Amino acid sequence: MKDTKLNTSIEFVKGIGKIRAKILKDELGLKNCSDLLNFFPYKYLDRSKNYKIKDIDSSNIYFQIIGVFKSLNYKKSGNKYRIEAIFYDGETNIKVLWFKGLSWVEKSIKINLKYVLFGKINWFDNKPSFIHPDFEKLENFKLKKIKLQPVYSSTEKLINSGISNNYMIKIIKNLFIFFENQFDENLNESINKKYKLISPNQAYINVHFPKDLKLLEQARFRLKFEEFFFNQLKFKISHHKIKSNNSGYFFPSVGSKFNSFFNNNLTFELTNSQKKVLKEIRNDFSSKKQMIRLLQGDVGSGKTIVALMSMLICIDNDFQTCLIAPTEILATQHFNSFNSALSNLNVNIRLLTGSTKLSERKIIFNDLKNGLLNILIGTHAVFEENVVFKNLGFAVIDEQHRFGVKQRSKIWEKNNPPPHVLIMTATPIPRTLTMSLYGDLDLSIIDELPPGRKDVITVSRKDKNRLKVFGFIKDQIKKGRQIYVVYPLIEESKKMDLKFLEDGYESIIKEFDINHYTVGIMHGRMKSSNKDFEMNNFLKGKTNILVSTTVIEVGVNVPNASVMIIENAERFGLSQLHQLRGRVGRGSYDSYCILMTKDKISDDAKVRIDAMVKSNDGFKISEVDLKLRGPGNILGTQQSGILDFKIANLLEDGDILKNASNEATILIKNDSKLIQNKNYNIRKFILNNPFNKSWNEIG
Ligand code: ADP
Ligand code: MG
């Protein structure tokens, strides 16, 4: 049932042929007719307005003039010929130049006949002229009534190969002839009605050759909706499939460990958000389906306790559980806090990292296999093949953005059926990104901080005010607080004008003399035992100031630390700044984040620093980040491909995405296999469309 037209190579569209097809493929990735059809103009030129030559000014780049060619002459400079023509609009003359295709120009233009001239204005000696403009006999132009002219993106190679915008327009017109202007409906009637979507026929024609602005808008709306809809539908189908294929471990009971912890060990009241998420997880645990849940919550929002309590439910149901963190420091910290939180509960917890000793490893592997070990906390080491559980029922992955998708999926293989999975992230990303990246995960959000948390007072300071900052640090230390000072890089690099960690350490030692202050230093190249030593000193309050690189970025929790100084803050990305700031403000004290910058910083850096100073809300900050860097950069190149939409735009079309996503959810809920008659078009589109090759999920 393949729709052969969409799959046909563009080579066979009239006017393309083998050679140009190859160029179009190499330069623009256009292979088949579906590619070409969905190669949308990136802008449109307004051809509805005619200008007088005397009104041409720099307010516009493109101008359209009606008039006659009065003369057309060959001129020569060096050994190159050009054509110079004089165009006259009844009042004024303008010069028109051609450097290529001269004989064709000469043949095509008739003197003293009315033409519509359209093109870019070139300024030379304060005089405007046209170079290689479009021209068309007025009588023909009126007949066609073109107003908005599409402009397709191009490359130098395309232009040099004679593939101009006009050529693109021509072949896309031929493409429409090839399709006989018939494009299949690919949504259902209720969606079309609800969102007042115009038909695919109208949408495709008007996106390439808009009859007017309103239809262009409607065409773009429909195509964006479609694009988001099928993007979301794919996620929902795969999610649905995983859910129905993977039975999940059944943890019906909340048992003695959970209850005992809840009644005796929990020292604070859970926030409503935390309660809500726990409930969502408990629902999953008793659904007999595998849980695959993403937990988003700002730094300090209390994700760990949610994870811990869920893990207790798992243990209460006689299964093992594990927690995986991206760094040794973080894993160790989780291990320590779990140990003290669960000290009287008779839970067997062990830590496995790259530096775990062989003898300890042996015990761990043994106890994992015979089921004596309840909780394994660790780093990437847990993913390794020799880590074999007796019955892993639930895995938690902390700070997921540090792990690759492949790595994460290794945990699935640790049991059969795969364990429940909770993926936690403190990197808030805008909702639109979450939907288009993690559409196949269930989503839980903690959107409030524990009570009594105050915003971290954030300021930016120039290097020249360093002495005042040092004075402030001394005050804070006098009050019993501790200070982080973070540097962006560890070693001297001649190219970059950075204050490096070691220099910084020296200067701090000078200012804070060792008779009165203790200063620690920590960086990624240190042995992990040394790192632990430093971190522990800081945790226990033995160190006043910890000078460090970003190794402390993730998750580290020292409630007594109240000041975060970020050196060369202009060098950091927004999400990293926000993460670092999250290291303070964890106790009940007023806390501060001081962003030290050079005297002069770039505009982007200013926006970043400003956003930090203005807001403590990670989701808001992530919106700014998205605007600054675009979706691809925010998440790293790994994932950016997923975010390549052809016409939809994650920055601008969030509402369309939400609606399209809702509709996809409704559809899958009502007709998960898309077998109902009314959804025939949707199913057919998925099976036929070359964009959707990877859709083997629906059978
Ligand atoms: P994150 O979400 O960044 O991982 P953590 O789980 O490390 O945050 O929690 C940060 C701190 O807040 C911890 O010291 C934790 O004990 C504390 N905390 C968590 N939930 C609450 C709560 N409901 N009330 C008070 N403190 C809480
Ligand atoms: Mg955490």
Side-chain angles (χ1 to χ4, degrees):
M1 201 182 58
K2 279 268 178 250
D3 188 324
T4 49
K5 280 188 180 171
L6 285 171
N7 283 289
T8 304
S9 158
I10 57 171
E11 179 188 337
F12 302 107
V13 175
K14 195 174 160 224
I16 299 186
K18 245 202 176 86
I19 295 168
R20 289 200 186 95
K22 178 159 187 336
I23 302 172
L24 285 165
K25 181 176 147 242
D26 292 347
E27 293 295 294
L28 299 171
L30 305 176
K31 283 176 244 156
N32 52 45
C33 289
S34 166
D35 295 336
L36 189 58
L37 186 64
N38 290 286
F39 183 63
F40 300 121
Y42 75 96
K43 67 174 181 184
Y44 303 83
L45 299 174
D46 184 358
R47 303 282 309 254
S48 65
K49 229 187 191 164
N50 297 314
Y51 286 82
K52 283 293 181 187
I53 294 170
K54 68 173 168 27
D55 294 330
I56 290 177
D57 59 19
S58 55
S59 67
N60 223 332
I61 300 170
Y62 287 89
F63 286 89
Q64 178 165 292
I65 315 257
I66 296 178
V68 298
F69 287 100
K70 288 208 303 197
S71 63
L72 201 84
N73 295 303
Y74 276 87
K75 297 246 162 113
K76 193 178 178 186
S77 55
N79 53 7
K80 287 227 159 111
Y81 283 96
R82 66 177 186 275
I83 285 181
E84 273 193 29
I86 301 296
F87 194 74
Y88 177 66
D89 68 358
E91 294 173 20
T92 326
N93 288 330
I94 188 166
K95 205 189 265 183
V96 185
L97 297 160
W98 282 272
F99 299 95
K100 280 186 199 162
L102 303 189
S103 58
W104 175 78
V105 170
E106 190 191 11
K107 256 191 279 168
S108 312
I109 289 179
K110 299 214 159 40
I111 300 293
N112 285 331
L113 192 75
K114 278 210 167 163
Y115 280 89
V116 179
L117 195 66
F118 177 82
K120 241 186 189 164
I121 285 295
N122 211 56
W123 290 91
F124 187 72
D125 272 350
N126 273 332
K127 279 191 191 135
S129 62
F130 283 104
I131 297 176
H132 288 220
D134 291 354
F135 55 90
E136 199 161 355
K137 284 179 192 156
L138 182 62
E139 45 187 85
N140 298 345
F141 185 72
K142 266 189 189 148
L143 263 177
K144 278 193 294 185
K145 278 195 201 148
I146 304 178
K147 283 183 180 165
L148 292 161
Q149 175 170 301
V151 182
Y152 298 92
S153 43
S154 186
T155 66
E156 210 175 311
K157 185 148 182 236
L158 285 172
I159 290 166
N160 290 339
S161 321
I163 299 187
S164 62
N165 197 54
N166 276 344
Y167 172 82
M168 289 304 295
I169 291 174
K170 197 177 85 190
I171 59 170
I172 287 176
K173 280 184 178 159
N174 290 342
L175 184 74
F176 279 97
I177 296 170
F178 176 71
F179 277 101
E180 297 167 41
N181 290 327
Q182 289 305 314
F183 304 98
D184 291 343
E185 178 56 68
N186 56 9
L187 297 174
N188 66 28
E189 211 181 303
S190 72
I191 294 176
N192 281 333
K193 258 202 185 137
K194 188 164 165 189
Y195 298 95
K196 300 196 178 80
L197 302 179
I198 60 174
S199 71
N201 284 349
Q202 285 177 303
Y204 275 120
I205 289 168
N206 280 287
V207 80
H208 287 287
F209 307 112
K211 295 215 170 65
D212 56 46
L213 277 173
K214 188 169 170 228
L215 273 164
L216 172 60
E217 214 32 59
Q218 290 175 318
R220 287 174 59 82
F221 183 80
R222 166 157 187 130
L223 294 167
K224 286 174 177 185
F225 192 98
E226 265 182 29
E227 192 169 29
F228 277 144
F229 177 79
F230 285 102
N231 164 280
Q232 291 296 299
L233 190 58
K234 189 168 175 169
F235 280 130
K236 313 265 160 172
I237 288 175
S238 108
H239 183 248
H240 180 85
K241 199 172 177 204
I242 290 169
K243 284 272 173 188
S244 30
N245 285 358
N246 288 349
S247 53
Y249 297 106
F250 185 41
F251 302 159
S253 46
V254 167
S256 63
K257 296 233 175 352
F258 181 94
N259 283 327
S260 164
F261 178 84
F262 186 74
N263 294 324
N264 308 321
N265 297 32
L266 190 60
T267 51
F268 44 72
E269 167 116 14
L270 295 176
T271 64
N272 286 332
S273 280
Q274 287 171 319
K275 286 181 194 161
K276 182 193 70 192
V277 174
L278 259 179
K279 205 179 248 170
E280 288 164 347
I281 294 171
R282 283 185 56 186
N283 278 341
D284 288 348
F285 280 174
S286 48
S287 72
K288 301 189 182 173
K289 302 274 176 227
Q290 185 199 10
M291 172 173 84
I292 313 162
R293 187 168 281 284
L294 180 69
L295 172 54
Q296 273 195 327
D298 214 337
V299 271
S301 62
K303 295 181 292 294
T304 318
I305 197 75
V306 171
L308 181 144
M309 292 172 75
S310 316
M311 290 162 90
L312 288 178
I313 299 179
C314 173
I315 298 170
D316 275 337
N317 287 276
D318 295 324
F319 277 84
Q320 292 170 305
T321 173
C322 67
L323 170 65
I324 302 164
T327 63
E328 198 154 336
I329 293 181
L330 194 54
T332 309
Q333 183 171 302
H334 279 317
F335 177 69
N336 293 335
S337 70
F338 271 51
N339 259 326
S340 67
L342 306 175
S343 57
N344 53 350
L345 285 182
N346 191 23
V347 176
N348 188 358
I349 313 173
R350 298 246 177 201
L351 176 69
L352 178 69
T353 70
S355 48
T356 304
K357 292 214 176 70
L358 205 62
S359 52
E360 170 74 3
R361 267 171 195 263
K362 271 189 186 151
I363 300 174
I364 292 175
F365 292 162
N366 213 31
D367 285 0
L368 271 181
K369 264 188 221 149
N370 62 27
L372 284 179
L373 192 56
N374 304 113
I375 300 181
L376 180 64
I377 293 179
T379 56
H380 303 74
V382 177
F383 292 126
E384 280 161 22
E385 262 168 41
N386 51 5
V387 178
V388 180
F389 293 80
K390 180 179 178 215
N391 62 352
L392 180 65
F394 176 38
V396 180
I397 300 177
D398 197 14
E399 309 295 350
Q400 60 84 32
H401 64 288
R402 293 296 187 94
F403 297 103
V405 177
K406 267 209 187 114
Q407 256 179 336
R408 268 191 268 147
S409 64
K410 282 197 182 146
I411 207 69
W412 288 46
E413 290 150 24
K414 300 276 176 195
N415 207 350
N416 188 12
H420 296 297
V421 181
L422 182 70
I423 298 164
M424 306 202 289
T425 174
T427 312
I429 57 172
R431 183 71 203 225
T432 50
L433 282 192
T434 311
M435 289 164 81
S436 37
L437 273 176
Y438 305 116
D440 51 350
L441 308 178
D442 285 312
L443 183 64
S444 287
I445 295 180
I446 300 186
D447 54 9
E448 61 186 319
L449 295 180
R453 251 346 129 63
K454 290 184 212 151
D455 276 356
V456 178
I457 300 158
T458 306
V459 295
S460 100
R461 291 286 178 266
K462 305 284 185 204
D463 275 340
K464 59 183 180 220
N465 299 320
R466 185 166 295 279
L467 280 183
K468 274 195 190 156
V469 174
F470 282 163
F472 177 74
I473 295 179
K474 285 176 183 165
D475 274 358
Q476 286 288 311
I477 294 176
K478 218 178 264 168
K479 288 184 181 159
R481 302 290 80 75
Q482 290 164 280
I483 319 292
Y484 289 109
V485 183
V486 176
Y487 289 85
L489 276 181
I490 161 171
E491 269 167 20
E492 194 121 19
S493 148
K494 288 198 178 85
K495 279 187 208 140
M496 280 189 271
D497 169 30
L498 285 182
K499 278 232 170 311
F500 299 96
L501 181 74
E502 275 137 12
D503 279 4
Y505 181 68
E506 294 289 311
S507 73
I508 283 178
I509 294 266
K510 253 185 224 154
E511 181 69 29
F512 297 84
D513 71 278
I514 49 170
N515 296 321
H516 296 95
Y517 301 94
T518 45
V519 182
I521 183 166
M522 196 167 80
H523 56 76
R525 304 256 176 107
M526 278 161 63
K527 267 201 205 144
S528 68
S529 55
N530 293 344
K531 270 191 269 180
D532 286 353
F533 177 78
E534 287 292 350
M535 201 61 228
N536 272 326
N537 280 346
F538 194 64
L539 245 173
K540 288 182 186 145
K542 287 184 188 165
T543 317
N544 302 119
I545 303 175
L546 182 61
V547 178
S548 144
T549 57
T550 50
V551 285
I552 56 130
E553 178 193 348
V554 173
V556 176
N557 192 19
V558 183
N560 191 47
S562 67
V563 183
M564 167 64 66
I565 314 260
I566 303 176
E567 296 285 349
N568 298 97
E570 73 276 3
R571 297 261 176 197
F572 289 84
L574 253 181
S575 73
Q576 212 175 16
L577 288 173
H578 181 66
Q579 285 274 333
L580 286 168
R581 175 169 62 183
R583 299 306 111 226
V584 296
R586 299 196 147 219
S588 50
Y589 316 106
D590 279 343
S591 47
Y592 305 86
C593 176
I594 302 177
L595 306 168
M596 300 298 300
T597 65
K598 288 192 305 198
D599 293 343
K600 272 200 182 138
I601 58 175
S602 72
D603 288 346
D604 269 15
K606 257 182 218 145
V607 176
R608 291 197 295 270
I609 303 280
D610 252 25
M612 286 292 294
V613 170
K614 277 199 196 116
S615 176
N616 265 258
D617 180 336
F619 284 98
K620 270 191 195 142
I621 285 174
S622 74
E623 298 279 351
V624 177
D625 205 19
L626 179 63
K627 284 197 182 116
L628 278 180
R629 294 196 295 155
N633 292 324
I634 274 199
L635 300 144
T637 42
Q638 264 184 322
Q639 288 155 313
S640 65
I642 309 172
L643 302 170
D644 281 344
F645 290 98
K646 290 192 176 295
I647 190 164
N649 180 331
L650 284 171
L651 274 180
E652 290 159 10
D653 305 323
D655 288 341
I656 306 179
L657 171 58
K658 270 169 213 158
N659 286 331
S661 180
N662 277 343
E663 292 307 324
T665 306
I666 295 170
L667 181 71
I668 290 308
K669 203 166 143 205
N670 296 333
D671 183 14
S672 66
K673 290 208 164 317
L674 306 180
I675 44 179
Q676 290 173 15
N677 240 348
K678 61 179 180 191
N679 297 324
Y680 173 78
N681 289 330
I682 297 176
R683 181 187 172 85
K684 187 173 153 217
F685 178 78
I686 294 171
L687 295 175
N688 277 345
N689 201 297
F691 283 159
N692 299 324
K693 268 184 202 119
S694 54
W695 286 66
N696 38 24
E697 280 93 354
I698 66 167

